[in-house]
């Protein structure tokens, strides 16, 4: 987590600058740092120079000036789109995250016009929709710093027509406004076509003189459609929209003025200061910076669960639930930064007993309104004849049911592997964690690469045998190698973050800060009542 204005909002700058853990962990962290550097750099030097020549601040500078000085910024989706498209699209061309403005927690959505004119790729749309979802679930006002050419036209079919595509952004604005969550826009550059509906639908809109433009069709399109010749400012500049059309409400001289106007609008809105932690925040038993040294070099090895807990939770104190039963899952109540949390942490594979214990513990947390934190290091549920006969699918389903329907705030952190149905039972992305992160050493896929290669090898061997052909060891090795390589690449945290399967890659040493702000945010959010589904007994 970064603070302002001393650091860029990069999620982890303070730790990276000061400590470099030795040994195996660095192997895990290096690719994450490299991806982060690409994300933070934004667009090309040429695009940046043109941007500055127009008197504009960058997206990250705008955020720095918008937030209360010295307060943290919890960036969401920083590595989005990394290495996904033919050309680099750092941070998917949009910076999103949670920060403080006028002592209110807000969601910020800022287009980066140095990345392809701030146009929306499919993952740009997905990232903005995700930011809005977080804002809605946690009751945050959303501030849009708009500077975008709208849809990235070559990929329109992947971002325009679908249920969760571009239209969802505008529906979300309307629905959040209807819920009483302020929607505030500052138009600091282009705002074209569909994009024009962001400021037009916002509750209150600021526009920057000279640089801000809002129009449904730009000058070229107008000329082609009607023959009218008009320049960008005459068509949709600040003077038109604050003096004639009333699409915008406030005229700003420049970026800094616009940001101060946005802050003033937030200050006029409902005050909802962060609730203080209900318990006195305590340091962990041992320093969180020691966690890196506990991480095995080989990501297939299990993590030392209890040693990690001592370094994560306040005073290392866990009020453990059924400590002597179902011991491959650790359940218990603890605090992070003074905020109570119900912990569900793997310490081995999930058995029927551990799944039932976790389901029961989740019920208790819902009844007592304690937020849940899932710490994943899970290869999956136990397999085998005895376990199937013992009903492991039924017992596992109880845990999945409880996780899915629990309506207390849920947070998910992948500290090691997170595979198969184990990922579901531990509140994977599909189960609605309010925020989800991965450590650089963590991995996630439907199963481990070695297991997938073995399964595919056995299937092929059977096919060849039926066809009366041999399947040699060399055939097996040739088949397995690309599967292993693909799984290593696909299960990596950079790939997961690039595709928005997780909201952030967080270093272990920064995890307490990340969790504290997440829990503080949830503590101030509207409560929901839990209603569980039918548990198969
Ligand atoms: N789709 C795809 N690419 C686009 C684009 C769009 N809608 N708008 C701009 N780009 C690309 C440009 O081709 C250029 O790519 P390059 O860097 O590889 O050359 C890059 O984005 C920057 O555009 P450029 O025009 O050089 O920058 P600018 O800062 O002077 O202007 C815009 C930016 C967005 C104002 C301007 O490009 C524009 O008006 N684009 C059209 C917007 C539009 O009509 N959108 C309709 C969406 S439904």
């Amino acid at each position: 987590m970064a603070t302002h204005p001393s650091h860029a909002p990069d999620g982890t700058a303070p730790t990276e600058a000061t400590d470099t853990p030795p040994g195996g962990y660095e192997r895990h962290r290096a690719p994450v740092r490299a991806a982060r550097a690409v994300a933070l750099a934004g667009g090309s030097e040429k695009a940046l120079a043109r941007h500055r020549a127009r008197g504009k601040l960058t997206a990250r500078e705008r955020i720095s000036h918008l937030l209360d000085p010295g307060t943290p910024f919890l960036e969401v989706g920083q590595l989005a789109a990394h290495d996904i498209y033919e050309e680099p699209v750092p941070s998917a061309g949009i910076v999103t995250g949670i920060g403080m403005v006028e002592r209110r927690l807000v969601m910020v959505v800022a287009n980066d016009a140095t990345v392809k004119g701030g146009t929306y790729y499919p993952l740009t749309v997905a990232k903005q929709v995700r930011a809005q979802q977080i804002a809605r679930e946690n009751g945050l006002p959303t501030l849009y710093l708009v500077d975008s050419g709208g849809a990235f036209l070559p990929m329109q079919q992947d971002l325009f027509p679908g249920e969760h595509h571009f239209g969802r952004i505008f529906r979300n604005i309307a629905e959040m406004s209807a819920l009483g969550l302020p929607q505030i826009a500052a138009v600091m550059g282009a705002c074209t076509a569909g994009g024009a509906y962001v400021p037009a639908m916002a509750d209150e809109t600021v526009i920057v003189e000279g640089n801000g433009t809002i129009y449904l069709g730009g000058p070229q399109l107008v000329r082609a459609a009607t023959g009218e010749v008009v320049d960008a400012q005459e068509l949709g500049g600040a003077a038109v929209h604050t003096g004639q059309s009333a699409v915008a409400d406030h005229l700003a001289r420049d970026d800094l003025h616009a940001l101060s106007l946005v802050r003033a609008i937030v200050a006029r809105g409902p005050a909802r200061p962060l609730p203080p932690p209900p318990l006195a925040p305590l340091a962990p038993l041992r320093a969180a910076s020691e966690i890196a040294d506990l991480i095995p070099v080989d990501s297939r090895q299990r993590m030392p669960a209890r040693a990690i807990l001592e370094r994560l939770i306040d005073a290392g104190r866990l009020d453990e639930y059924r400590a002597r039963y179902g011991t491959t899952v650790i359940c218990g109540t603890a605090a992070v930064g003074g905020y109570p949390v119900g912990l569900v942490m793997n310490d081995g594979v999930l058995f029927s007993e551990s799944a039932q214990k976790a389901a029961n513990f989740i019920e208790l947390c819902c009844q007592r309104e304690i937020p849940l934190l899932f710490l994943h290091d899970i290869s999956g549920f136990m397999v085998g004849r005895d376990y199937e006969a013992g009903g492991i699918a039924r017992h596992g389903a109880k845990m999945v049911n409880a996780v899915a329907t629990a309506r207390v705030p849920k947070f998910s952190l992948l500290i090691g592997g997170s595979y198969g149905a184990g990922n579901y039972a531990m509140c994977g992305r599909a189960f609605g964690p309010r925020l989800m992160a991965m450590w650089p050493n963590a991995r996630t896929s439907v199963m481990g690469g070695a297991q997938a290669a073995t399964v595919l090898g056995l299937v092929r061997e059977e096919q060849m045998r039926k066809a009366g052909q041999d399947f040699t060891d060399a055939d097996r090795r040739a088949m397995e190698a690309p599967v292993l390589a693909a799984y290593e690449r696909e299960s990596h945290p950079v790939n997961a973050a690039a595709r928005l399967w997780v909201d952030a890659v967080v270093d272990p040493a920064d995890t307490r800060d990340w969790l504290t702000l997440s829990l503080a945010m949830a503590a101030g959010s509207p409560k929901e009542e839990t209603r569980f589904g039918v548990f198969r007994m």
Side-chain angles (χ1 to χ4, degrees):
M1 218 166 17
T3 51
H4 293 268
S6 51
H7 298 281
D10 70 353
T12 52
T15 309
E16 290 196 358
T18 53
D19 89 79
T20 305
Y25 182 61
E26 189 52 30
R27 179 179 83 81
H28 296 297
R29 192 161 72 162
V32 175
R33 294 177 83 165
R36 211 169 261 160
V38 172
L40 293 177
S44 66
E45 278 182 24
K46 193 172 141 214
L48 185 61
R50 281 192 343 145
H51 191 79
R52 289 210 187 284
R54 292 169 174 160
K56 293 184 186 180
L57 300 169
T58 66
R60 288 174 194 281
E61 287 165 350
R62 285 170 177 165
I63 294 172
S64 272
H65 287 286
L66 177 68
L67 300 184
D68 294 345
T71 57
F73 180 63
L74 198 151
E75 191 166 341
V76 172
Q78 184 180 67
L79 303 187
H82 183 81
D83 258 350
I84 300 280
Y85 301 115
E86 277 174 21
E87 291 182 88
V89 188
S91 294
I94 198 164
V95 183
T96 59
I98 300 151
M100 300 279 284
V101 173
E102 296 289 345
R103 295 177 51 244
R104 279 103 165 147
L105 215 48
V106 299
M107 174 60 74
V108 183
V109 174
N111 299 114
D112 184 350
T114 68
V115 178
K116 279 280 179 189
T119 52
Y120 281 74
Y121 285 68
L123 280 162
T124 321
V125 174
K127 183 167 163 178
Q128 181 153 343
V129 169
R130 172 71 188 144
Q132 290 178 314
Q133 183 188 11
I134 294 169
R136 181 193 294 229
E137 286 177 352
N138 293 286
L140 308 179
T142 306
L143 314 183
Y144 305 87
L145 308 183
V146 187
D147 196 345
S148 163
F152 180 72
L153 293 171
M155 300 190 79
Q156 67 84 23
Q157 74 158 349
D158 298 317
L159 63 87
F160 171 68
E163 187 183 355
H164 297 284
H165 284 171
F166 221 115
R168 179 62 67 146
I169 290 174
F170 312 119
R171 172 177 162 181
N172 283 341
I173 294 176
E175 289 183 351
M176 286 198 282
S177 178
L179 289 170
L181 299 174
Q183 304 291 301
I184 300 162
V187 179
M188 310 175 91
C191 192
T192 310
Y197 283 97
V198 171
M201 296 196 62
D203 302 340
E204 212 161 331
T205 291
V206 175
I207 183 167
V208 177
E209 197 170 32
N211 278 333
T213 52
I214 307 172
Y215 31 65
L216 300 183
Q220 303 89 336
L221 186 70
V222 170
R223 189 170 183 176
T226 67
E228 187 184 14
V229 178
V230 57
D231 74 24
Q233 286 298 320
E234 287 169 348
L235 184 63
V240 174
H241 286 310
T242 54
Q244 296 174 6
S245 73
V247 173
D249 310 297
H250 308 282
L251 181 72
R253 290 183 303 277
D254 54 24
D255 278 13
L256 286 179
H257 186 212
L259 296 167
S260 72
L261 290 173
V262 171
R263 288 177 54 84
I265 297 169
V266 173
R268 290 197 289 274
R272 223 199 60 187
L274 271 187
L279 306 169
L282 297 171
L285 199 59
R286 295 170 195 281
S289 57
E290 292 175 10
I291 294 174
D293 294 332
L294 299 173
I295 291 175
V297 177
D298 183 345
S299 46
R300 285 167 302 186
Q301 278 178 341
R302 248 173 63 193
M303 306 283 286
R306 289 179 190 272
I308 287 171
L309 269 190
E310 284 183 347
R311 290 159 176 84
L312 267 190
I313 57 180
D314 288 11
R317 185 175 160 192
L318 176 72
D319 292 326
E320 197 163 347
Y321 173 71
R322 286 193 203 160
R324 288 155 42 78
Y325 183 82
T327 52
T328 59
V329 68
I330 300 171
C331 296
T333 312
V336 180
Y339 292 94
V341 67
L343 276 173
V344 181
M345 181 184 207
N346 305 115
D347 194 15
V349 331
L350 283 163
F351 289 92
S352 294
E353 294 79 8
S354 27
Q356 290 179 85
K357 166 174 134 179
N360 224 158
F361 179 69
I362 291 165
E363 270 190 293
L364 287 176
C365 288
C366 290
Q367 196 163 59
R368 295 171 189 169
E369 295 182 352
I370 303 171
L372 286 161
L373 170 62
F374 296 85
L375 298 173
H376 302 222
D377 181 27
I378 181 66
S379 54
F381 283 91
M382 190 64 198
V383 295
R385 191 163 58 184
D386 289 350
Y387 299 99
E388 299 292 353
I392 192 158
R394 170 166 68 89
H395 299 305
K398 284 201 267 280
M399 181 172 175
V400 176
N401 192 331
V403 166
T405 49
R407 284 290 167 272
V408 290
K410 298 175 277 191
F411 297 92
S412 236
L413 177 66
L414 277 61
I415 64 168
S418 180
Y419 298 103
N423 170 274
Y424 304 153
M426 290 296 291
C427 198
R429 187 55 130 188
F431 292 82
R434 295 259 179 126
L435 283 173
M436 180 158 175
M438 244 170 136
W439 282 355
N441 57 294
R443 297 289 183 272
T444 187
S445 52
V446 67
M447 61 173 75
Q451 291 83 347
T454 306
V455 170
L456 289 170
L458 290 170
V459 171
R460 176 66 60 84
E461 185 175 14
E462 183 65 13
Q463 286 171 334
M464 303 274 278
R465 196 185 56 74
K466 282 184 187 155
Q469 291 168 330
D470 281 344
F471 188 65
T472 64
D473 281 349
D475 291 336
R476 187 186 308 281
R477 280 195 298 276
M479 229 202 101
E480 286 181 357
V483 176
L484 284 169
Y487 268 68
E488 173 55 23
R489 193 176 58 247
E490 290 167 7
S491 64
H492 198 276
V494 172
N495 186 55
R499 293 169 193 275
L500 298 173
W501 300 337
V502 291
D503 298 306
V505 182
V506 177
D507 277 299
D510 297 323
T511 300
R512 275 180 55 82
D513 288 345
W514 185 83
L515 283 172
T516 303
L517 191 53
S518 302
L519 291 166
M521 170 178 77
S525 68
K527 292 199 179 353
E528 278 185 73
E529 203 181 324
T530 298
R531 187 161 173 235
F532 292 113
V534 173
F535 288 115
R536 190 176 285 277
M537 295 299 179

